[in-house]
Amino acid sequence: MNRETTHLRALAMLEACSLCLLVFVAVPLKYLADLPALVKVMGPVHGLSFVFFVRALANANATGSLPAGKAWWLGLMACVPLGGFLGAIWITRAEHGA
Amino acid sequence: MSYPLIKSLHLLSIIFFTGGMLVLMASLLSGDARTMQHMRRWDRWLTTPALVMAWLTGGLLASKGGWIGAGWLSAKIVLVVLLSALHGFALGHSRRARDEAAEVRLTVTRAMTGVFMLAAAAICVLVAIKPGAH
């Protein structure tokens, strides 16, 4: 198993989970229940996980494990809630040659 | 933690990150496998932790200083995401040269170095001038 791809998949999952928590839990809590605390925590967590996901995409591309076109698509998918999960599945399938 | 202390930590992380990146790219330009191996180890223990620390302290500074949402900060964040991606790319480039015994693509490395320096210069200007801030 390729080290860069494993790393990339883990970061894609982390990024996707943090975005879902932010959008589907933290933001509704802030605006519907006037509880902004979770947004204050999840905002930076998601920001950091996104940055390190982008860094991992560039790394995987440079090592030759991920073509540039796929890297751009994965980056775009990560901006959409649940898109990161699809990206992680895509990475696994590509790795197993499906 | 006080604002000046966080600022000091932020500056220190940036100095380590920038130094580490320039040395990493210099090792790529040298094309020497042994030097690149040393630089990857150096990167694992210094440059990457410095990058993480720079993001953490930067976020704290933006929050404590009330800068979140400022135009200059948004522009800076885009540039720092670019620098983080460049770091991943340079490391991957170095690892590929080791794994495939491939020659380092000098044009790509020179371009990376140029982009890195330009982005770093733009960040310095943005932070020093803070355009749009009163």
Side-chain angles (χ1 to χ4, degrees), chain A residues 3-4 47-48 50-52 54-56 58-64, chain B residues 48 51-52 55-56 81 84-85 87-89 91-93 95-96 100:
Chain A
R3 188 182 131 177
E4 281 77 27
L48 264 185
F50 182 77
V51 168
F52 284 89
V54 170
R55 180 180 170 277
N59 185 260
N61 174 246
T63 54
Chain B
T48 301
L51 177 63
V52 177
W55 273 103
L56 291 175
V81 172
S84 305
H87 177 238
F89 196 80
L91 259 186
H93 208 50
R95 207 165 286 139
R96 187 178 195 171
E100 299 177 7

Side-chain angles (χ1 to χ4, degrees), chain A residues 15-94:
Chain A
E15 192 276 339
C17 289
S18 66
L19 182 58
C20 283
L21 260 174
L22 182 67
V23 172
F24 298 125
V25 182
V27 173
L29 273 178
K30 180 181 175 180
Y31 291 104
L32 300 176
D34 200 23
L35 291 169
L38 197 58
V39 167
K40 283 186 179 168
V41 175
M42 287 316 297
V45 169
H46 171 64
L48 264 185
S49 60
F50 182 77
V51 168
F52 284 89
F53 176 64
V54 170
R55 180 180 170 277
L57 282 176
N59 185 260
N61 174 246
T63 54
S65 351
L66 188 72
K70 272 193 178 177
W72 279 108
W73 270 114
L74 285 168
L76 287 175
M77 283 161 84
C79 300
V80 183
L82 303 175
F85 292 115
L86 292 176
I89 294 169
W90 196 24
I91 294 165
T92 310
R93 286 198 177 166

